[in-house]
Amino acid sequence: MKKLKFPTPYTVLMLVIVLAATLTFFLPSGSYSSLQYDKTQDAFLVRTTDSAYTLPATQKNLNQFGIAIQLSKFKEEKIKKPIAIPNTYVQTAPHPQGAQAVLFAPIKGIYDSIEVILFVLVLGGFIGVFNSSGALNSGVGYLAHKLKGRERILIILLTILLAFGGTSFGLAEETLAFYPMLVPIFLAAGYDLMVPLAVIYIGSNVGSMASTTNPFAVIIASDAAGVDWTSGLIIRLIALALCVIISIVYIIRYAEKVRKDPKKSIVYGVPLPQIYAGNQPQTTAQLQWRTKIELLIFSISFLVMIIGVSQWEWWFQEMTALFLVASVLIAIFQRCGEEAFVAHFVAGARDLLGVAFIIGIARGVSFILNDGQISGTILNYATHWVQGMSPMLFLPMLLLVFGFLSLFIASSSGMAVLTMPIIGALASVVGVDGHKVVSAYLFGMGIMSFLTPTGLILPSLAMVNINYKQWLRFCTPLVLIFTLLLTFLLWI
């Protein structure tokens, strides 16, 4: 019989959507009341299952709802999204999601993800225009010459830098921009496709898992839990340092094994994605001045993106415009004609079309859960599961709860505003400080982000043509190590 192959990311995501829809037939629908600050009225808008009303924006009203958040966090717009009100869960009329909902979910997800999708397509166009000059091949060949015998330095430096981006400003979807630049470099160094994936994804993910100043995770979660974001900083810095060291050692051991014997690669025989297929860098000791300028424009584009996101509050609209302008500048410098520019740009965008679809389909899962009104039900079950536990058991169980919830709620900020007011209130009853709950939230979501198909892993795998089964084989031992280490740190 023909050997069964692991399904493509598209099939995996559609199966997850079907699973989510199936759950809406078995789990009762329900929701928590929510509270949101309205700046124009200086009032709180409270929504229940059957009504909506406003209250004066006072600390007294927050305390009456059992919300341990300072009023200033709302007025300074540090918490913009509606937050769940503790002890307000009620069941509602069933909202099962049938075949039509399953069909529409990926379409709605693509509509909802249009900013990210457009960014990916324009990025592909940018790479297509740049690749047409051959400057990337020359630059990679030059770097391979300079690093010969010292390739490990590349793994160490990039893993640290990406972890810094993750822990400081939440580097996540932006990492998709780094694959076209870094994959040829690692291949030229004698590594396989798994190594650049591991460096980029694990590096940024470890940083987010042990966030220190990440506004989309630790700060919004701390605000929602009613604690200062610096209160658990030491334990997260320790976690960051240990996890980065473990990641580097883990990746280097695999990378060196593959470089010595390519047949030991988990992805041995996997063909190169089309976007890299034409890149065959030759080792060179010198670069032409024209190539240097093109590489400078190329590098500055990524540097400006990083600064823009971390310092200027850029998001996908600004990043997309940046790479569009950079594409035009490179084409002008190359003296590329209008027809050739469009051809190269469209060809590059086409190479990343599959990645763009994966991002949109993954977003469709949240529509099933929201329309079926079972997100609140799942959270309610989870809180009842850990209620009444001793602190030593409560924290590791909480790590598992957040990991489980991240299968359904991939957004770190969305998870924070939904869960923190409720679990934070529960933690105070158990006798656990709020900052420990924030750490459990970060660690639980971080660990599961290596595995959950609704997150960023499937688009990242598509960038290097690696399937989900191969990734699980590579990362499972590392995930187990992280789980044991972070549980131990929570106990300490």
Side-chain angles (χ1 to χ4, degrees):
M1 292 179 63
K2 187 177 179 180
K3 188 177 179 181
L4 292 175
K5 294 181 67 176
F6 197 82
T8 64
Y10 313 99
T11 303
V12 171
L13 288 173
M14 287 306 301
L15 290 174
V16 173
I17 288 175
V18 171
L19 173 62
T22 303
L23 288 176
T24 64
F25 285 88
F26 294 97
L27 294 179
S29 297
S31 63
Y32 286 86
S33 299
S34 66
L35 177 146
Q36 185 174 19
Y37 177 66
D38 187 340
K39 187 176 182 179
T40 58
Q41 301 182 57
D42 190 27
F44 289 129
L45 174 61
V46 180
R47 288 189 175 90
T48 66
T49 54
D50 53 8
S51 65
Y53 58 93
T54 58
L55 288 174
T58 65
Q59 189 67 49
K60 181 180 179 181
N61 282 330
L62 287 175
N63 295 338
Q64 286 180 343
F65 281 126
I67 299 173
I69 305 175
Q70 293 299 314
L71 179 63
S72 59
K73 302 296 183 182
F74 291 94
K75 295 198 171 186
E76 293 169 6
E77 296 187 306
K78 292 182 178 179
I79 299 179
K80 299 178 182 179
K81 297 181 179 180
I83 67 168
I85 301 175
N87 302 316
T88 58
Y89 173 80
V90 293
Q91 290 190 13
T92 58
H95 290 79
Q97 303 295 292
Q100 181 174 314
V102 170
L103 177 63
F104 287 168
I107 299 172
K108 290 179 179 179
I110 291 171
Y111 272 110
D112 194 55
S113 310
I114 192 62
E115 279 190 332
V116 188
I117 290 172
L118 190 58
F119 166 70
V120 169
L121 294 178
V122 171
L123 173 67
F126 166 73
I127 298 300
V129 172
F130 183 72
N131 277 348
S132 65
S133 68
L136 182 59
N137 290 344
S138 300
V140 170
Y142 178 75
L143 189 61
H145 171 75
K146 288 293 184 181
L147 290 176
K148 191 170 181 62
R150 301 188 301 275
E151 290 85 356
R152 293 184 181 185
I153 296 175
L154 193 64
I155 295 175
I156 296 171
L157 289 178
L158 287 174
T159 303
I160 292 173
L161 287 173
L162 287 161
F164 176 77
T167 192
S168 59
F169 63 89
L171 185 69
E173 289 90 347
E174 301 89 343
T175 57
L176 295 174
F178 296 130
Y179 287 95
M181 176 175 60
L182 296 179
V183 168
I185 294 174
F186 280 99
L187 295 180
Y191 300 129
D192 65 359
L193 286 166
M194 186 66 78
V195 176
L197 171 67
V199 168
I200 296 171
Y201 191 78
I202 293 176
S204 61
N205 218 52
V206 162
S208 298
M209 183 170 65
S211 292
T212 52
T213 61
N214 179 1
F216 307 107
V218 66
I219 291 180
I220 192 171
S222 298
D223 289 343
V227 297
D228 190 275
W229 67 270
T230 61
S231 57
L233 186 58
I234 293 177
I235 194 70
R236 291 192 287 272
L237 284 172
I238 294 172
L240 177 65
L242 292 177
C243 288
V244 167
I245 292 171
I246 291 170
S247 299
I248 290 172
V249 172
Y250 189 85
I251 296 170
I252 287 178
R253 285 188 63 187
Y254 172 82
E256 291 303 311
K257 179 178 69 174
V258 167
R259 197 152 64 93
K260 291 176 183 176
D261 185 1
K263 290 185 179 180
K264 291 184 178 180
S265 167
I266 292 176
V267 293
Y268 181 73
V270 171
L272 280 176
Q274 190 60 38
I275 197 168
Y276 315 118
N279 295 334
Q280 297 179 343
Q282 300 294 324
T283 303
T284 179
Q286 199 168 10
L287 293 176
Q288 297 180 354
W289 68 270
R290 180 179 291 273
T291 301
K292 291 180 180 179
I293 294 176
E294 290 179 356
L295 288 170
L296 183 63
I297 297 173
F298 183 78
S299 302
I300 288 175
S301 301
F302 289 92
L303 180 62
V304 171
M305 181 194 76
I306 293 171
I307 295 173
V309 172
S310 60
Q311 302 295 324
W312 303 332
E313 297 185 355
W314 278 16
W315 203 229
F316 288 106
Q317 181 174 320
E318 291 82 3
M319 290 190 294
T320 303
L322 168 68
F323 284 109
L324 183 60
V325 170
S327 303
V328 175
L329 288 177
I330 290 174
I332 292 173
F333 185 78
Q334 292 175 355
R335 296 180 182 178
C336 178
E338 180 266 344
E339 186 176 348
F341 166 73
V342 172
H344 294 315
F345 190 90
V346 171
R350 183 173 61 242
D351 289 338
L352 293 188
L353 184 60
V355 178
F357 275 130
I358 290 171
I359 292 170
I361 296 171
R363 190 71 62 90
V365 178
S366 62
F367 283 93
I368 294 288
L369 297 173
N370 292 335
D371 294 344
Q373 296 186 15
I374 61 171
S375 297
T377 300
I378 294 171
L379 175 59
N380 185 56
Y381 285 164
T383 53
H384 281 296
W385 184 47
V386 297
Q387 195 168 10
M389 290 182 176
S390 67
M392 286 293 285
L393 186 59
F394 178 79
L395 283 172
M397 288 300 103
L398 205 57
L399 188 146
L400 294 177
V401 165
F402 282 118
F404 173 72
L405 291 175
S406 67
L407 291 171
F408 307 97
I409 309 167
S411 167
S412 59
S413 58
M415 175 78 80
V417 296
L418 177 64
T419 63
M420 279 299 151
I422 297 166
I423 294 183
L426 180 63
S428 63
V429 175
V430 175
V432 172
D433 294 336
H435 71 83
K436 296 185 181 73
V437 176
V438 173
S439 294
Y441 145 81
L442 291 169
F443 297 164
M445 280 205 75
I447 289 170
M448 280 305 299
S449 60
F450 288 99
L451 307 175
T452 178
T454 54
L456 195 59
I457 185 57
L458 290 187
S460 301
L461 290 173
M463 295 293 292
V464 288
N465 203 29
I466 293 175
N467 68 42
Y468 189 52
K469 181 181 178 181
Q470 291 166 329
W471 168 250
L472 291 179
R473 182 181 167 192
F474 173 81
C475 78
T476 299
L478 186 62
V479 169
L480 293 175
I481 293 170
F482 284 160
T483 302
L484 293 174
L485 171 65
L486 296 176
T487 300
F488 182 69
L489 289 177
L490 285 176
W491 274 338
I492 290 179

